[in-house]
Each structure stands twice: as structure tokens, then as C-alpha cells.
Amino acid sequence: MTDTTQTAEMAIGWRDYLELCKPKVVALIMFTALVGMFLAVPGMVPWQPLVFGSIGIALASASAATINHVVDQRIDAIMARTKNRPLPTGHMDNGHALAFAVIIGTIAMLILYFLVNTVTMILTFASLIGYAVIYTMYLKRATPQNIVIGGAAGAAPPVLGWSAVTGDINEHSLLLFLIIFAWTPPHFWALAIHRHKEYAKVEIPMLPVTHGLAFTRLQILLYTIILIIVTILPFVTLMSGVFYLGGALALGLGFLYYAIATHKAEDETMPIKTFGYSIFYLMALFAFLLIDHYIPLIMHALGG
């Protein structure tokens, strides 16, 4: 075997391991976790929980994502969106994938326990089990409410970030949790409508498969309204100010537009457009939270 061939195989292996981690999903998780960290303190986050908390939460998220790849490889091989993942294509075997998940998951827990705090380690481990085991292995195949119930694991990152800095769970961190919890159903059901034929083929009871497209479109609209109401709570509870409120309402109106358009079912591409907007929405909403949090410090600095 030539050196060129060996280098190519090493490159492919590296990419396969990276894909197992679902880097785009982990990036969104980490952004919300980081916002949770910064909102937990009035000034700058101490470097140790910022650095090691981020590493631990990211590795735990990647571990959960890898386990998801292993459990879902049969249906991944059938669905067009996932058939090119490392396990269905044979680029990676179960043994290597599971070993990778265990190693990075263990490293994550050790980092969080010894370099952050016990509360964050416990909460992160619970989130890992919630997504990789309870949702992926059971809920996903058991009930059309899988996304609603399993959404708790996906909504945990800002709470993990908050606890990494403070060592406890604050009511404001639970508001961040509630926002993502309410966001998850309209976000994922939009994708489920777009891919409903594939979910039906692999017999996964997503809401569009079990209750039909019209019912799912209505649920997206209703949950979007709930989401808009929930996003007002940080302002009502004095967690955030007018700047955040304006951003939340503007973004919420945008989401409502997409939800109504999806409900009308006049454009078959609207569900996937709604899915795309929902990702932008969450990132922008948390950005507004973060900016609003530091406006008093900025104003004080300018005034001083």
C-alpha cells in the first residue's frame, strides 16, 4: 500500500468519526449552552467552566449523536437523507463507533466532574441517556409524541451551560429550557412532513405518518403560537429587556408566517423552508438574549 493510499484512508476515517458526532447539531447545542453560561453571570464567564464546560458538553453531545447513528443504522440505510452516513455505507463498523462513543462520553464525564462541577456532570449524563437511550431506542419507535417527550433532552444545553458556571439550576435557566422545549416540535415536525414518505417506509411513527399531514400542519401552527408566548416570558420575568423582546417578537412573527404558510399547504416546499427558518430562529433568538444581557454593561462602559 502506498503512502498516498494510507493518507487517503486516514482522511476518510477522520471524516467518518466527525460525521458520527453530527457537528452541525452539536454546534447549535453548544451555542445555546454558551448563551446559558453567559446569562448566568453579570460579567465575563470564568475561564475554567467556560473552557472545560464547553468541552465536556460538546463531547457528551457527540457521544449521544454517535449512539444515535448505531441504533438508527437500519433505517438510515433506507432513508435518502441518511443513507450515506458512515455505518450504512460500511465506512465504519459498530465496534469502532460504540468504542468511540464510550471513550468520548467517558472523557466528557471526567472533565465535567473534576474540572467543572458534579451538578453539570449529572445533568449532562442524564441528557445523554435521555437522547441516546430513552428517545432513540424507545420513544422514537413507540409514540408519535416522541419529539415532544424526547425534546427535554434537546432542551437541556442552556441549563447545562448555566449550571457549569453556577453549580445549580436557576429559574431563568429553566426558561431557556422551556423555549427550546416549545421550539422542538414545530422545528422537527416541519422536517417530518417533508420526509413523511421515508418515515412511513421505515415504520417510524412520526406525527405525519400516524395522524396525517393536515393534523401535523395544524400542530406546527399551534406550537408556534405557544413558542411565541413562551419567548415573551424572559421579558415578563425581568430576565431580559426591551431589546430582547423586540427581537423575540420580530422572529416570532417570522416563524408564524412560515407556520401559517405551511398550514395552508399551497407550497410543497414550505415545510422544509420552515425547518430551515426554525434553525435560524433559535440561533437569532439566543443571540438577542445574549446581546440584551450585556447592554447594561456596554452602556455603563460608554457612560464611564
Side-chain angles (χ1 to χ4, degrees):
M1 183 180 294
T2 66
D3 291 341
T4 303
T5 304
Q6 290 177 337
T7 303
E9 289 184 353
M10 289 176 63
I12 292 173
W14 176 82
R15 290 188 180 92
D16 288 334
Y17 280 114
L18 180 63
E19 187 172 352
L20 288 179
C21 297
K22 297 188 178 180
K24 291 182 180 179
V25 175
V26 171
L28 184 59
I29 287 171
M30 289 313 303
F31 179 67
T32 60
L34 284 168
V35 172
M37 290 183 186
F38 282 96
L39 293 185
V41 291
M44 179 59 188
V45 177
W47 75 267
Q48 186 162 331
L50 177 63
V51 173
F52 293 113
S54 297
I55 293 172
I57 295 168
L59 287 175
S61 301
S63 176
T66 301
I67 295 172
N68 176 267
H69 274 271
V70 174
V71 175
D72 279 353
Q73 62 181 295
R74 181 192 66 82
I75 64 175
D76 283 350
I78 300 172
M79 298 181 70
R81 182 173 65 93
T82 56
K83 66 181 181 180
N84 291 321
R85 286 177 172 176
L87 291 173
T89 58
H91 291 173
M92 180 82 65
D93 60 73
N94 286 344
H96 282 85
L98 286 173
F100 178 64
V102 171
I103 290 170
I104 62 174
T106 302
I107 293 173
M109 296 306 123
L110 291 174
I111 288 174
L112 293 174
Y113 181 76
F114 287 106
L115 299 174
V116 185
N117 58 64
T118 305
V119 172
T120 305
M121 186 274 289
I122 293 173
L123 291 175
T124 304
F125 181 74
S127 299
L128 190 159
I129 296 300
Y131 176 74
V133 178
I134 297 175
Y135 169 72
T136 301
M137 293 185 179
Y138 176 69
L139 287 175
K140 188 172 183 178
R141 294 159 174 79
T143 170
Q145 291 298 308
N146 45 24
I147 292 302
V148 178
I149 304 170
V159 180
L160 305 181
W162 192 292
S163 69
V165 177
T166 65
D168 60 15
I169 302 174
N170 182 279
E171 61 273 12
H172 288 161
S173 71
L174 293 179
L175 277 184
L176 302 178
F177 170 92
L178 188 60
I179 288 172
I180 301 180
F181 187 74
W183 166 85
T184 301
H187 160 72
F188 198 88
W189 282 335
L191 177 64
I193 288 177
H194 182 70
R195 299 287 186 180
H196 72 277
K197 292 181 181 178
E198 294 186 46
Y199 282 117
K201 185 189 302 183
V202 296
E203 299 180 338
I204 297 296
M206 291 299 177
L207 197 64
V209 177
T210 60
H211 289 69
L213 299 183
F215 181 81
T216 307
R217 294 176 193 275
L218 176 61
Q219 294 304 304
I220 290 174
L221 178 58
L222 294 177
Y223 268 90
T224 300
I225 295 172
I226 292 172
L227 174 62
I228 293 171
I229 295 171
V230 168
T231 57
I232 297 173
L233 294 179
F235 175 77
V236 173
T237 60
L238 304 181
M239 176 184 177
S240 298
V242 175
F243 179 81
Y244 162 75
L245 178 64
L249 290 176
L251 290 168
L253 289 175
F255 208 148
L256 188 61
Y257 163 78
Y258 279 96
I260 292 172
T262 297
H263 183 250
K264 290 180 178 179
E266 295 174 354
D267 184 352
E268 292 185 357
T269 67
M270 192 52 67
I272 196 63
K273 291 178 181 177
T274 301
F275 174 76
Y277 178 80
S278 70
I279 297 173
F280 163 78
Y281 169 90
L282 189 65
M283 294 182 66
L285 185 75
F286 272 71
F288 273 109
L289 279 165
L290 183 60
I291 295 170
D292 183 276
H293 180 67
Y294 283 103
I295 284 178
L297 283 179
I298 296 171
M299 297 300 292
H300 178 75
L302 292 175

